[in-house]
Amino acid sequence: MFDYIKTAYNLVVGLLTENVLIISSVVLLFLLFLWIVLSLAVCNELRIVKYSKKMFKLLEQARVNTDENPMLYELVGKMPEQFRRQFRIWQYKGGLPGDYFTQQVCVDTTIYSGLYRQNRTIMSWAIRVCVVLQLILSLGILSTESAITGLVLGQALIVPMLTCLLLEIEFFVYTSIRQYYYKLAVEKFNNLVDLLNEKYENGEIDFPNKGKAKCFDCEQNDYDFEDEDMIDDETKRGRGRPRKSAEEKEAEGRIENDADFARAISRAEKLMSRLHNKDLSDSQIRRTNKELGEIMAKMSEYKRRNK
């Protein structure tokens, strides 16, 4: 195996010249530049800046209605997932916007997690790998002409080290721009949150359908948060589940055997526990009482049928 690798290496070195090595450096510089441009064009920092400014302008002179503003939904839908999720929770729970739209959740988590964080690490390692490969090939080219001495080693380092310096300069410019974008994103995001807080304190935010939340990434428009586990568990809160169709609800509500009757009793107990132990809004109390009444009626009907 080693002989095969050595043969392949000798073949590559035999085809290379000093001019080809320099051309490869220019190609690497261009590829990194292209990578940087594409990365900056799609970065989440610019996304947050762009749509935070648009939302600020939209809401600055208007009363905020969390349910009946198509343009607001369109802009929120273009924000990163963490912001959309916090908007759904806020729309469902109500309250001071600043309690939900925090910099740590909506900005820092978006920018410094996943592939967006790894991109810089990958870019840094790609530079190192390319420079090391260039150094190995440069040593191979010069070693075919003379024995490796200190002078030959120094000559072999000229092109790789110059390439490394230029690549690192590009990388430094990239990280500086990303840091500037981050500061700009924080500024515009905080301006938007301050505006929402001000409007909430002045009573200029309406929650017409409190207890329902908009779905920005599925075909259904509403999310139903009636499950008490969704209300209590902070780690699950805001995810919701798509609203069920009338046929699905009717099928689930039928009581045709003892197993269905047992499930109905369990559900009724949960609803009664919710009414006694939860701080519910008026609309939630109405929905809970309505569902409890329907379940009790179906249980009574089942008992009459089986007498």
Side-chain angles (χ1 to χ4, degrees), residues 72-99:
L72 175 62
Y73 279 129
E74 181 180 345
L75 294 176
V76 173
K78 293 178 180 179
M79 290 287 278
E81 170 58 28
Q82 285 79 3
F83 186 93
R84 300 199 302 270
R85 181 174 182 273
Q86 292 304 107
F87 186 90
R88 291 195 294 264
I89 298 172
W90 176 56
Q91 187 183 18
Y92 167 70
K93 298 287 285 183
L96 187 68
D99 294 338

PDB file of all heavy atoms in Angstrom, residues 72-99:
ATOM      1  N   LEU A  72     -46.770  41.479   8.603  1.00  0.00           N
ATOM      2  CA  LEU A  72     -45.986  41.111   9.783  1.00  0.00           C
ATOM      3  C   LEU A  72     -45.652  39.625   9.758  1.00  0.00           C
ATOM      4  O   LEU A  72     -44.521  39.224  10.019  1.00  0.00           O
ATOM      5  CB  LEU A  72     -46.755  41.468  11.056  1.00  0.00           C
ATOM      6  CG  LEU A  72     -46.112  41.028  12.376  1.00  0.00           C
ATOM      7  CD1 LEU A  72     -44.754  41.700  12.567  1.00  0.00           C
ATOM      8  CD2 LEU A  72     -47.034  41.332  13.550  1.00  0.00           C
ATOM      9  N   TYR A  73     -46.635  38.794   9.419  1.00  0.00           N
ATOM     10  CA  TYR A  73     -46.396  37.355   9.342  1.00  0.00           C
ATOM     11  C   TYR A  73     -45.365  37.015   8.272  1.00  0.00           C
ATOM     12  O   TYR A  73     -44.538  36.126   8.444  1.00  0.00           O
ATOM     13  CB  TYR A  73     -47.701  36.617   9.028  1.00  0.00           C
ATOM     14  CG  TYR A  73     -48.563  36.398  10.231  1.00  0.00           C
ATOM     15  CD1 TYR A  73     -49.904  36.744  10.231  1.00  0.00           C
ATOM     16  CD2 TYR A  73     -48.033  35.830  11.395  1.00  0.00           C
ATOM     17  CE1 TYR A  73     -50.694  36.548  11.344  1.00  0.00           C
ATOM     18  CE2 TYR A  73     -48.818  35.627  12.498  1.00  0.00           C
ATOM     19  CZ  TYR A  73     -50.153  35.992  12.473  1.00  0.00           C
ATOM     20  OH  TYR A  73     -50.922  35.788  13.567  1.00  0.00           O
ATOM     21  N   GLU A  74     -45.429  37.727   7.174  1.00  0.00           N
ATOM     22  CA  GLU A  74     -44.474  37.477   6.091  1.00  0.00           C
ATOM     23  C   GLU A  74     -43.050  37.780   6.539  1.00  0.00           C
ATOM     24  O   GLU A  74     -42.120  37.007   6.264  1.00  0.00           O
ATOM     25  CB  GLU A  74     -44.836  38.333   4.877  1.00  0.00           C
ATOM     26  CG  GLU A  74     -43.915  38.117   3.683  1.00  0.00           C
ATOM     27  CD  GLU A  74     -44.303  38.977   2.496  1.00  0.00           C
ATOM     28  OE1 GLU A  74     -45.424  39.523   2.489  1.00  0.00           O
ATOM     29  OE2 GLU A  74     -43.471  39.111   1.573  1.00  0.00           O
ATOM     30  N   LEU A  75     -42.875  38.884   7.271  1.00  0.00           N
ATOM     31  CA  LEU A  75     -41.543  39.256   7.744  1.00  0.00           C
ATOM     32  C   LEU A  75     -41.060  38.314   8.841  1.00  0.00           C
ATOM     33  O   LEU A  75     -39.896  37.912   8.848  1.00  0.00           O
ATOM     34  CB  LEU A  75     -41.561  40.701   8.259  1.00  0.00           C
ATOM     35  CG  LEU A  75     -41.817  41.785   7.206  1.00  0.00           C
ATOM     36  CD1 LEU A  75     -41.909  43.151   7.856  1.00  0.00           C
ATOM     37  CD2 LEU A  75     -40.715  41.771   6.147  1.00  0.00           C
ATOM     38  N   VAL A  76     -41.941  37.961   9.762  1.00  0.00           N
ATOM     39  CA  VAL A  76     -41.559  37.027  10.833  1.00  0.00           C
ATOM     40  C   VAL A  76     -41.180  35.676  10.238  1.00  0.00           C
ATOM     41  O   VAL A  76     -40.235  35.019  10.686  1.00  0.00           O
ATOM     42  CB  VAL A  76     -42.699  36.875  11.856  1.00  0.00           C
ATOM     43  CG1 VAL A  76     -42.374  35.780  12.866  1.00  0.00           C
ATOM     44  CG2 VAL A  76     -42.933  38.181  12.589  1.00  0.00           C
ATOM     45  N   GLY A  77     -41.912  35.253   9.201  1.00  0.00           N
ATOM     46  CA  GLY A  77     -41.627  33.976   8.564  1.00  0.00           C
ATOM     47  C   GLY A  77     -40.265  33.915   7.904  1.00  0.00           C
ATOM     48  O   GLY A  77     -39.742  32.828   7.669  1.00  0.00           O
ATOM     49  N   LYS A  78     -39.668  35.078   7.604  1.00  0.00           N
ATOM     50  CA  LYS A  78     -38.344  35.110   6.979  1.00  0.00           C
ATOM     51  C   LYS A  78     -37.214  35.229   7.988  1.00  0.00           C
ATOM     52  O   LYS A  78     -36.039  35.162   7.610  1.00  0.00           O
ATOM     53  CB  LYS A  78     -38.275  36.274   5.987  1.00  0.00           C
ATOM     54  CG  LYS A  78     -39.200  36.083   4.779  1.00  0.00           C
ATOM     55  CD  LYS A  78     -39.145  37.272   3.840  1.00  0.00           C
ATOM     56  CE  LYS A  78     -40.064  37.059   2.646  1.00  0.00           C
ATOM     57  NZ  LYS A  78     -40.058  38.220   1.723  1.00  0.00           N
ATOM     58  N   MET A  79     -37.573  35.418   9.259  1.00  0.00           N
ATOM     59  CA  MET A  79     -36.560  35.464  10.311  1.00  0.00           C
ATOM     60  C   MET A  79     -36.102  34.045  10.638  1.00  0.00           C
ATOM     61  O   MET A  79     -36.758  33.067  10.277  1.00  0.00           O
ATOM     62  CB  MET A  79     -37.131  36.138  11.555  1.00  0.00           C
ATOM     63  CG  MET A  79     -37.366  37.627  11.403  1.00  0.00           C
ATOM     64  SD  MET A  79     -35.845  38.602  11.394  1.00  0.00           S
ATOM     65  CE  MET A  79     -35.531  38.739  13.167  1.00  0.00           C
ATOM     66  N   PRO A  80     -34.957  33.887  11.339  1.00  0.00           N
ATOM     67  CA  PRO A  80     -34.496  32.545  11.721  1.00  0.00           C
ATOM     68  C   PRO A  80     -35.510  31.806  12.577  1.00  0.00           C
ATOM     69  O   PRO A  80     -36.392  32.412  13.191  1.00  0.00           O
ATOM     70  CB  PRO A  80     -33.209  32.837  12.508  1.00  0.00           C
ATOM     71  CG  PRO A  80     -32.746  34.159  11.979  1.00  0.00           C
ATOM     72  CD  PRO A  80     -33.984  34.930  11.673  1.00  0.00           C
ATOM     73  N   GLU A  81     -35.370  30.490  12.635  1.00  0.00           N
ATOM     74  CA  GLU A  81     -36.343  29.637  13.312  1.00  0.00           C
ATOM     75  C   GLU A  81     -36.535  30.011  14.778  1.00  0.00           C
ATOM     76  O   GLU A  81     -37.657  29.972  15.294  1.00  0.00           O
ATOM     77  CB  GLU A  81     -35.892  28.169  13.209  1.00  0.00           C
ATOM     78  CG  GLU A  81     -36.687  27.192  14.076  1.00  0.00           C
ATOM     79  CD  GLU A  81     -38.170  27.192  13.771  1.00  0.00           C
ATOM     80  OE1 GLU A  81     -38.548  27.500  12.623  1.00  0.00           O
ATOM     81  OE2 GLU A  81     -38.956  26.889  14.691  1.00  0.00           O
ATOM     82  N   GLN A  82     -35.449  30.363  15.482  1.00  0.00           N
ATOM     83  CA  GLN A  82     -35.576  30.691  16.901  1.00  0.00           C
ATOM     84  C   GLN A  82     -36.501  31.892  17.105  1.00  0.00           C
ATOM     85  O   GLN A  82     -37.298  31.916  18.053  1.00  0.00           O
ATOM     86  CB  GLN A  82     -34.202  30.984  17.513  1.00  0.00           C
ATOM     87  CG  GLN A  82     -33.337  29.772  17.753  1.00  0.00           C
ATOM     88  CD  GLN A  82     -32.663  29.281  16.482  1.00  0.00           C
ATOM     89  OE1 GLN A  82     -32.800  29.884  15.416  1.00  0.00           O
ATOM     90  NE2 GLN A  82     -31.947  28.187  16.585  1.00  0.00           N
ATOM     91  N   PHE A  83     -36.411  32.888  16.235  1.00  0.00           N
ATOM     92  CA  PHE A  83     -37.291  34.060  16.347  1.00  0.00           C
ATOM     93  C   PHE A  83     -38.728  33.660  16.067  1.00  0.00           C
ATOM     94  O   PHE A  83     -39.640  34.093  16.777  1.00  0.00           O
ATOM     95  CB  PHE A  83     -36.842  35.146  15.374  1.00  0.00           C
ATOM     96  CG  PHE A  83     -37.603  36.436  15.512  1.00  0.00           C
ATOM     97  CD1 PHE A  83     -37.116  37.451  16.324  1.00  0.00           C
ATOM     98  CD2 PHE A  83     -38.797  36.638  14.835  1.00  0.00           C
ATOM     99  CE1 PHE A  83     -37.816  38.649  16.464  1.00  0.00           C
ATOM    100  CE2 PHE A  83     -39.502  37.823  14.971  1.00  0.00           C
ATOM    101  CZ  PHE A  83     -39.009  38.835  15.788  1.00  0.00           C
ATOM    102  N   ARG A  84     -38.965  32.840  15.043  1.00  0.00           N
ATOM    103  CA  ARG A  84     -40.325  32.415  14.720  1.00  0.00           C
ATOM    104  C   ARG A  84     -40.942  31.628  15.869  1.00  0.00           C
ATOM    105  O   ARG A  84     -42.118  31.797  16.196  1.00  0.00           O
ATOM    106  CB  ARG A  84     -40.322  31.567  13.441  1.00  0.00           C
ATOM    107  CG  ARG A  84     -39.802  32.286  12.223  1.00  0.00           C
ATOM    108  CD  ARG A  84     -40.231  31.617  10.931  1.00  0.00           C
ATOM    109  NE  ARG A  84     -39.815  30.245  10.830  1.00  0.00           N
ATOM    110  CZ  ARG A  84     -38.672  29.845  10.306  1.00  0.00           C
ATOM    111  NH1 ARG A  84     -37.793  30.757   9.866  1.00  0.00           N
ATOM    112  NH2 ARG A  84     -38.372  28.568  10.213  1.00  0.00           N
ATOM    113  N   ARG A  85     -40.121  30.792  16.488  1.00  0.00           N
ATOM    114  CA  ARG A  85     -40.618  29.996  17.617  1.00  0.00           C
ATOM    115  C   ARG A  85     -40.992  30.898  18.787  1.00  0.00           C
ATOM    116  O   ARG A  85     -42.047  30.722  19.408  1.00  0.00           O
ATOM    117  CB  ARG A  85     -39.554  28.986  18.052  1.00  0.00           C
ATOM    118  CG  ARG A  85     -39.991  28.101  19.213  1.00  0.00           C
ATOM    119  CD  ARG A  85     -38.942  27.025  19.490  1.00  0.00           C
ATOM    120  NE  ARG A  85     -39.368  26.156  20.564  1.00  0.00           N
ATOM    121  CZ  ARG A  85     -39.140  26.399  21.857  1.00  0.00           C
ATOM    122  NH1 ARG A  85     -38.484  27.490  22.203  1.00  0.00           N
ATOM    123  NH2 ARG A  85     -39.547  25.576  22.791  1.00  0.00           N
ATOM    124  N   GLN A  86     -40.145  31.874  19.100  1.00  0.00           N
ATOM    125  CA  GLN A  86     -40.449  32.790  20.193  1.00  0.00           C
ATOM    126  C   GLN A  86     -41.683  33.629  19.873  1.00  0.00           C
ATOM    127  O   GLN A  86     -42.474  33.952  20.767  1.00  0.00           O
ATOM    128  CB  GLN A  86     -39.254  33.713  20.461  1.00  0.00           C
ATOM    129  CG  GLN A  86     -38.032  33.005  21.031  1.00  0.00           C
ATOM    130  CD  GLN A  86     -38.344  32.256  22.308  1.00  0.00           C
ATOM    131  OE1 GLN A  86     -38.412  31.030  22.330  1.00  0.00           O
ATOM    132  NE2 GLN A  86     -38.548  32.985  23.389  1.00  0.00           N
ATOM    133  N   PHE A  87     -41.897  33.970  18.610  1.00  0.00           N
ATOM    134  CA  PHE A  87     -43.091  34.725  18.223  1.00  0.00           C
ATOM    135  C   PHE A  87     -44.344  33.890  18.463  1.00  0.00           C
ATOM    136  O   PHE A  87     -45.361  34.408  18.936  1.00  0.00           O
ATOM    137  CB  PHE A  87     -42.998  35.140  16.753  1.00  0.00           C
ATOM    138  CG  PHE A  87     -44.118  36.047  16.314  1.00  0.00           C
ATOM    139  CD1 PHE A  87     -43.987  37.427  16.427  1.00  0.00           C
ATOM    140  CD2 PHE A  87     -45.296  35.525  15.807  1.00  0.00           C
ATOM    141  CE1 PHE A  87     -45.017  38.263  16.038  1.00  0.00           C
ATOM    142  CE2 PHE A  87     -46.332  36.351  15.421  1.00  0.00           C
ATOM    143  CZ  PHE A  87     -46.195  37.725  15.529  1.00  0.00           C
ATOM    144  N   ARG A  88     -44.269  32.592  18.128  1.00  0.00           N
ATOM    145  CA  ARG A  88     -45.426  31.726  18.371  1.00  0.00           C
ATOM    146  C   ARG A  88     -45.745  31.642  19.860  1.00  0.00           C
ATOM    147  O   ARG A  88     -46.916  31.673  20.262  1.00  0.00           O
ATOM    148  CB  ARG A  88     -45.165  30.326  17.795  1.00  0.00           C
ATOM    149  CG  ARG A  88     -45.122  30.269  16.279  1.00  0.00           C
ATOM    150  CD  ARG A  88     -45.234  28.850  15.772  1.00  0.00           C
ATOM    151  NE  ARG A  88     -44.086  28.047  16.132  1.00  0.00           N
ATOM    152  CZ  ARG A  88     -43.048  27.832  15.338  1.00  0.00           C
ATOM    153  NH1 ARG A  88     -43.008  28.403  14.152  1.00  0.00           N
ATOM    154  NH2 ARG A  88     -42.049  27.069  15.727  1.00  0.00           N
ATOM    155  N   ILE A  89     -44.694  31.511  20.690  1.00  0.00           N
ATOM    156  CA  ILE A  89     -44.910  31.437  22.138  1.00  0.00           C
ATOM    157  C   ILE A  89     -45.517  32.746  22.646  1.00  0.00           C
ATOM    158  O   ILE A  89     -46.462  32.738  23.447  1.00  0.00           O
ATOM    159  CB  ILE A  89     -43.587  31.143  22.875  1.00  0.00           C
ATOM    160  CG1 ILE A  89     -43.033  29.779  22.448  1.00  0.00           C
ATOM    161  CG2 ILE A  89     -43.798  31.149  24.385  1.00  0.00           C
ATOM    162  CD1 ILE A  89     -41.641  29.501  22.990  1.00  0.00           C
ATOM    163  N   TRP A  90     -44.983  33.882  22.197  1.00  0.00           N
ATOM    164  CA  TRP A  90     -45.496  35.188  22.617  1.00  0.00           C
ATOM    165  C   TRP A  90     -46.935  35.372  22.176  1.00  0.00           C
ATOM    166  O   TRP A  90     -47.778  35.854  22.928  1.00  0.00           O
ATOM    167  CB  TRP A  90     -44.597  36.277  22.025  1.00  0.00           C
ATOM    168  CG  TRP A  90     -45.068  37.672  22.302  1.00  0.00           C
ATOM    169  CD1 TRP A  90     -45.329  38.234  23.522  1.00  0.00           C
ATOM    170  CD2 TRP A  90     -45.330  38.698  21.331  1.00  0.00           C
ATOM    171  NE1 TRP A  90     -45.717  39.548  23.371  1.00  0.00           N
ATOM    172  CE2 TRP A  90     -45.728  39.854  22.034  1.00  0.00           C
ATOM    173  CE3 TRP A  90     -45.250  38.749  19.945  1.00  0.00           C
ATOM    174  CZ2 TRP A  90     -46.060  41.042  21.401  1.00  0.00           C
ATOM    175  CZ3 TRP A  90     -45.569  39.939  19.308  1.00  0.00           C
ATOM    176  CH2 TRP A  90     -45.971  41.057  20.033  1.00  0.00           C
ATOM    177  N   GLN A  91     -47.231  34.960  20.945  1.00  0.00           N
ATOM    178  CA  GLN A  91     -48.585  35.078  20.423  1.00  0.00           C
ATOM    179  C   GLN A  91     -49.552  34.232  21.241  1.00  0.00           C
ATOM    180  O   GLN A  91     -50.703  34.618  21.466  1.00  0.00           O
ATOM    181  CB  GLN A  91     -48.599  34.636  18.961  1.00  0.00           C
ATOM    182  CG  GLN A  91     -49.918  34.854  18.234  1.00  0.00           C
ATOM    183  CD  GLN A  91     -49.874  34.322  16.830  1.00  0.00           C
ATOM    184  OE1 GLN A  91     -49.014  33.507  16.501  1.00  0.00           O
ATOM    185  NE2 GLN A  91     -50.778  34.767  15.991  1.00  0.00           N
ATOM    186  N   TYR A  92     -49.088  33.100  21.702  1.00  0.00           N
ATOM    187  CA  TYR A  92     -49.922  32.192  22.488  1.00  0.00           C
ATOM    188  C   TYR A  92     -50.090  32.678  23.928  1.00  0.00           C
ATOM    189  O   TYR A  92     -51.192  32.717  24.471  1.00  0.00           O
ATOM    190  CB  TYR A  92     -49.302  30.789  22.490  1.00  0.00           C
ATOM    191  CG  TYR A  92     -49.912  29.870  23.517  1.00  0.00           C
ATOM    192  CD1 TYR A  92     -51.211  29.401  23.370  1.00  0.00           C
ATOM    193  CD2 TYR A  92     -49.185  29.489  24.633  1.00  0.00           C
ATOM    194  CE1 TYR A  92     -51.770  28.571  24.312  1.00  0.00           C
ATOM    195  CE2 TYR A  92     -49.746  28.658  25.593  1.00  0.00           C
ATOM    196  CZ  TYR A  92     -51.033  28.201  25.426  1.00  0.00           C
ATOM    197  OH  TYR A  92     -51.585  27.383  26.366  1.00  0.00           O
ATOM    198  N   LYS A  93     -48.984  33.099  24.557  1.00  0.00           N
ATOM    199  CA  LYS A  93     -49.004  33.455  25.976  1.00  0.00           C
ATOM    200  C   LYS A  93     -49.343  34.914  26.219  1.00  0.00           C
ATOM    201  O   LYS A  93     -49.942  35.259  27.233  1.00  0.00           O
ATOM    202  CB  LYS A  93     -47.638  33.162  26.607  1.00  0.00           C
ATOM    203  CG  LYS A  93     -47.219  31.703  26.575  1.00  0.00           C
ATOM    204  CD  LYS A  93     -47.983  30.864  27.555  1.00  0.00           C
ATOM    205  CE  LYS A  93     -47.492  31.128  28.968  1.00  0.00           C
ATOM    206  NZ  LYS A  93     -48.176  30.256  29.951  1.00  0.00           N
ATOM    207  N   GLY A  94     -48.925  35.814  25.301  1.00  0.00           N
ATOM    208  CA  GLY A  94     -49.073  37.235  25.549  1.00  0.00           C
ATOM    209  C   GLY A  94     -48.008  37.720  26.528  1.00  0.00           C
ATOM    210  O   GLY A  94     -47.160  36.959  26.984  1.00  0.00           O
ATOM    211  N   GLY A  95     -48.048  38.997  26.863  1.00  0.00           N
ATOM    212  CA  GLY A  95     -47.104  39.534  27.831  1.00  0.00           C
ATOM    213  C   GLY A  95     -46.066  40.443  27.188  1.00  0.00           C
ATOM    214  O   GLY A  95     -46.148  40.792  25.999  1.00  0.00           O
ATOM    215  N   LEU A  96     -45.077  40.839  27.990  1.00  0.00           N
ATOM    216  CA  LEU A  96     -44.026  41.746  27.541  1.00  0.00           C
ATOM    217  C   LEU A  96     -43.153  41.069  26.484  1.00  0.00           C
ATOM    218  O   LEU A  96     -42.592  40.001  26.740  1.00  0.00           O
ATOM    219  CB  LEU A  96     -43.166  42.182  28.727  1.00  0.00           C
ATOM    220  CG  LEU A  96     -42.129  43.270  28.456  1.00  0.00           C
ATOM    221  CD1 LEU A  96     -42.819  44.597  28.159  1.00  0.00           C
ATOM    222  CD2 LEU A  96     -41.197  43.423  29.654  1.00  0.00           C
ATOM    223  N   PRO A  97     -43.001  41.649  25.305  1.00  0.00           N
ATOM    224  CA  PRO A  97     -42.199  41.016  24.237  1.00  0.00           C
ATOM    225  C   PRO A  97     -40.767  40.716  24.654  1.00  0.00           C
ATOM    226  O   PRO A  97     -40.201  39.695  24.265  1.00  0.00           O
ATOM    227  CB  PRO A  97     -42.249  42.038  23.107  1.00  0.00           C
ATOM    228  CG  PRO A  97     -43.485  42.825  23.361  1.00  0.00           C
ATOM    229  CD  PRO A  97     -43.654  42.886  24.833  1.00  0.00           C
ATOM    230  N   GLY A  98     -40.158  41.609  25.467  1.00  0.00           N
ATOM    231  CA  GLY A  98     -38.777  41.410  25.876  1.00  0.00           C
ATOM    232  C   GLY A  98     -38.549  40.146  26.676  1.00  0.00           C
ATOM    233  O   GLY A  98     -37.416  39.667  26.775  1.00  0.00           O
ATOM    234  N   ASP A  99     -39.621  39.601  27.267  1.00  0.00           N
ATOM    235  CA  ASP A  99     -39.484  38.342  28.015  1.00  0.00           C
ATOM    236  C   ASP A  99     -39.295  37.151  27.089  1.00  0.00           C
ATOM    237  O   ASP A  99     -38.849  36.084  27.524  1.00  0.00           O
ATOM    238  CB  ASP A  99     -40.721  38.107  28.901  1.00  0.00           C
ATOM    239  CG  ASP A  99     -40.834  39.141  30.011  1.00  0.00           C
ATOM    240  OD1 ASP A  99     -39.809  39.743  30.354  1.00  0.00           O
ATOM    241  OD2 ASP A  99     -41.955  39.346  30.527  1.00  0.00           O
TER     242      ASP A  99
END
